[in-house]
Amino acid sequence: NAGVMQNPRHLVRRRGQEARLRCSPMKGHSHVYWYRQLPEEGLKFMVYLQKENIIDESGMPKERFSAEFPKEGPSILRIQQVVRGDSAAYFCASSSRLSSYNSPLHFGNGTRLTVT
Amino acid sequence: ELKVEQNPLFLSMQEGKNYTIYCNYSTTSDRLYWYRQDPGKSLESLFVLLSNGAVKQEGRLMASLDTKARLSTLHITAAVHDLSATYFCAVDMEEYGNKLVFGAGTILRVKS
């Protein structure tokens, strides 16, 4: 049973370019969470999505960042006009509704974004 | 705003020694998680603590939760080199779960 799959593993972008990060949840999971980890810090919640719905985006920067989880296909975290401060590891996690209370979140391997 | 504080942030210890990592959080919660992260890797779940007084053990690691004191501990017994990693505690505040607030992490280095 494949875990949470993220790609690419590493992404290098120049300032001003767009970054698109993809996340395929575990099979049977319809809830996706994105977290960001800045160097030598803990993870910070960004956004929680269900299929075709954004449930909580309280951790998302107001500008340049967007997320979606379409009916078909992976969840996408999109960062427009990247700046150096966007350099971080972006982790995706998924859950099924029934398991979310007493099961830990299972994280993907992350996408490490470097902005040059 | 929920704050989660870990200490120490860095821990260097000799093999065979015992030590405890502390995790304090600022508001009421009864769900706390411990994760391990190796450099450049994802987070591996270690423990899920769901109630006051919960204690869980796996190998040389034991975690406990005191919800009244808003404190969790991760105790390391007879450390070995393979335990070297960064350890995070995370507190779950939301009723729907999984909106975790992480501590800054404790970097553990076990010296041979």
Side-chain angles (χ1 to χ4, degrees), chain B residues 30-93:
Chain B
D30 58 1
R31 297 195 292 276
L32 189 138
Y33 307 84
W34 284 96
Y35 286 88
R36 168 183 171 145
Q37 186 180 37
D38 293 292
K41 305 287 187 177
S42 186
L43 279 77
E44 174 192 354
S45 174
L46 295 175
F47 299 108
V48 179
L49 302 169
L50 296 177
S51 61
N52 187 42
V55 177
K56 291 196 174 179
Q57 182 163 6
E58 182 72 35
R60 300 174 188 275
L61 301 177
M62 183 173 71
S64 66
L65 178 62
D66 181 343
T67 58
K68 293 177 182 174
R70 299 175 187 169
L71 170 68
S72 179
T73 61
L74 180 67
H75 187 72
I76 302 152
T77 302
V80 293
H81 181 72
D82 285 352
L83 290 179
S84 297
T86 301
Y87 293 84
F88 293 97
C89 64
V91 177
D92 184 350
M93 278 291 293

Side-chain angles (χ1 to χ4, degrees), chain A residues 55-109:
Chain A
I55 306 302
D56 183 343
E57 57 181 347
S58 58
M60 288 275 273
K62 293 288 185 281
E63 297 178 350
R64 302 187 297 107
F65 284 71
S66 62
E68 63 175 4
F69 188 17
K71 186 176 180 181
E72 301 291 338
S75 175
I76 305 287
L77 179 67
R78 182 180 177 208
I79 311 171
Q80 295 178 290
Q81 299 176 310
V82 296
V83 301
R84 288 220 171 103
D86 297 332
S87 295
Y90 292 82
F91 289 95
C92 172
S94 71
S95 73
S96 66
R97 188 71 180 99
L98 291 176
S99 71
S100 62
Y101 183 81
N102 60 359
S103 297
L105 271 184
H106 294 280
F107 288 87
N109 284 327

